[in-house]
Amino acid sequence: MTRPAIPAEAFEHGDPRRYRRGCRCRLCTDGVTAEVLQGRYLRATGRGRSTTPERAARHIARLRNVGMPDMEIMADALVGQDVFYRIVRLAGTIHRSTEIRVLAVKPRDTELRGSGIHIPGLGTVRRLRALAADGWTAAELGRRSGKAKQFIVYLQNQPEGITVRRWVATYVNDLYTDLSPLKPEDNGVAAHFAQRTRDRAAAKGWMGTAWWDDESLDDPDFDPAATLAEPSFLDRAALRREEIIHLAWHGETPDQIVARLNGEMSISTVRQIVQDWRTGQKRDRRQVAA
């Protein structure tokens, strides 16, 4: 996700950054002139305007640990996304004024986001995997949560025994609550991207949101794959499959079938069962579930 450019109006008159964004008033012109003269003096005395990012990176880590989201830190420090993550990675050098702005950021009230305390990450990993199994791409999940898609992918592929910061678990839980009832294709995800995401999730054995409830998502003893092998489950699954085929034979569309089943099965699962019936092909039950 690309962060919009910071406008000139975000800076006070006299700030060289406002001059570089197009303001040519007397104060801004004097400000940039003073900056140039100071830079010449520093270079002449063996110093410079650049510094290593270690101090800024340590301060960002402290802000994150108390639950402050990256986007809020960027907004308060008036730094762009590229510069922010370059600091986090300790890559290259940064301007001394950038370091000063980052160090000046104070923690906000982060009670709603939770603290920096680490908690079990089982539910967080499962929720993100279930959304992928439903067709939600990492890019879309990142866009909706204000995180980089690489961070979403990183969490999805972590072992279920990891720990995460409480604020991470909070926003993932909110994301899951908002998106689990929705169909990706109807909410900003292209159909071919959604299907590709489902296929990848199925190949990894990830189960869709239809397989989970709030308790089972955080229960380390619950394994949906094991549930598939239970005779009682297989009987119920066979009956439900017959019901779906019966409705399809009478001309019901997958959307109508899902409505008749009161949303007990996801639209992707119903579509796959109908496709199997129409083509005579059968897939692994775990893939159908995902």
Side-chain angles (χ1 to χ4, degrees):
M1 181 178 65
T2 302
R3 180 182 171 86
I6 300 174
E9 292 73 18
F11 307 98
E12 299 291 336
H13 286 288
D15 192 319
R17 291 168 295 175
R18 188 178 180 107
Y19 177 91
R20 286 193 286 270
R21 286 164 174 79
C23 182
R24 296 296 184 268
C25 74
R26 183 71 178 191
L27 287 174
C28 291
T29 302
D30 289 345
V32 78
T33 300
E35 182 185 56
V36 171
L37 292 175
Q38 185 185 39
R40 289 176 181 173
Y41 170 75
L42 290 173
R43 288 192 295 273
T45 56
R47 292 173 289 173
R49 290 188 172 277
S50 297
T51 185
T52 58
E54 279 81 2
R55 290 181 64 200
R58 286 196 298 269
H59 189 64
I60 288 173
R62 286 192 289 269
L63 295 172
R64 283 175 160 182
N65 284 336
V66 297
M68 195 166 178
D70 290 354
M71 290 299 180
E72 291 185 10
I73 300 174
M74 290 182 223
D76 286 1
L78 288 175
V79 298
Q81 189 172 9
D82 292 342
V83 174
F84 180 86
Y85 288 111
R86 185 155 51 82
I87 294 172
V88 172
R89 296 193 306 271
L90 299 177
T93 60
I94 59 173
H95 201 282
R96 290 187 183 275
S97 63
T98 300
E99 180 189 60
I100 292 171
R101 293 198 307 276
V102 171
L103 296 178
V105 175
K106 304 297 182 185
R108 294 185 183 180
D109 181 3
T110 56
E111 290 184 2
L112 294 179
R113 286 281 182 178
S115 72
I117 297 173
H118 281 74
I119 63 173
L122 174 66
T124 298
V125 172
R126 283 178 170 177
R127 284 175 173 85
L128 290 175
R129 289 178 178 180
L131 290 173
D134 280 3
W136 291 100
T137 65
E140 183 65 14
L141 295 178
R143 186 187 72 79
R144 289 174 177 264
S145 61
K147 305 297 175 184
K149 70 175 183 179
Q150 291 85 351
F151 186 55
I152 300 296
V153 173
Y154 166 80
L155 288 174
Q156 287 173 333
N157 288 284
Q158 288 301 294
E160 294 186 346
I162 67 160
T163 60
V164 297
R165 290 189 177 94
R166 184 178 294 167
W167 64 267
V168 174
T170 298
Y171 80 70
V172 170
N173 182 69
D174 292 344
L175 194 66
Y176 183 87
T177 301
D178 292 341
L179 299 185
S180 57
L182 305 179
K183 178 182 176 183
E185 290 90 335
D186 294 338
N187 293 275
V189 180
H192 64 288
F193 286 140
Q195 189 57 51
R196 184 186 303 172
T197 303
R198 291 190 192 100
D199 292 342
R200 288 174 177 172
K204 295 180 179 181
W206 297 351
M207 301 299 194
T209 58
W211 291 96
W212 304 96
D213 56 32
D214 289 338
E215 293 184 1
S216 61
L217 281 162
D218 296 295
D219 181 2
D221 295 325
F222 179 77
D223 181 4
T227 305
L228 287 169
E230 296 177 3
S232 60
F233 173 83
L234 294 177
D235 292 342
R236 293 195 305 272
L239 289 173
R240 184 50 55 90
R241 186 181 184 88
E242 290 181 6
E243 182 180 1
I244 291 171
I245 293 173
H246 175 76
L247 293 172
W249 186 79
H250 281 281
E252 299 278 355
T253 66
D255 290 310
Q256 292 171 328
I257 294 173
V258 170
R260 281 181 171 269
L261 299 178
N262 297 319
E264 294 180 9
M265 299 189 74
S266 68
I267 184 65
S268 59
T269 301
V270 172
R271 283 177 174 163
Q272 190 59 58
I273 291 174
V274 172
Q275 180 181 342
D276 289 347
W277 166 67
R278 287 175 176 165
T279 61
Q281 298 175 351
K282 293 183 178 180
R283 297 176 61 193
D284 179 80
R285 185 177 297 277
R286 177 180 293 185
Q287 291 181 321
V288 172

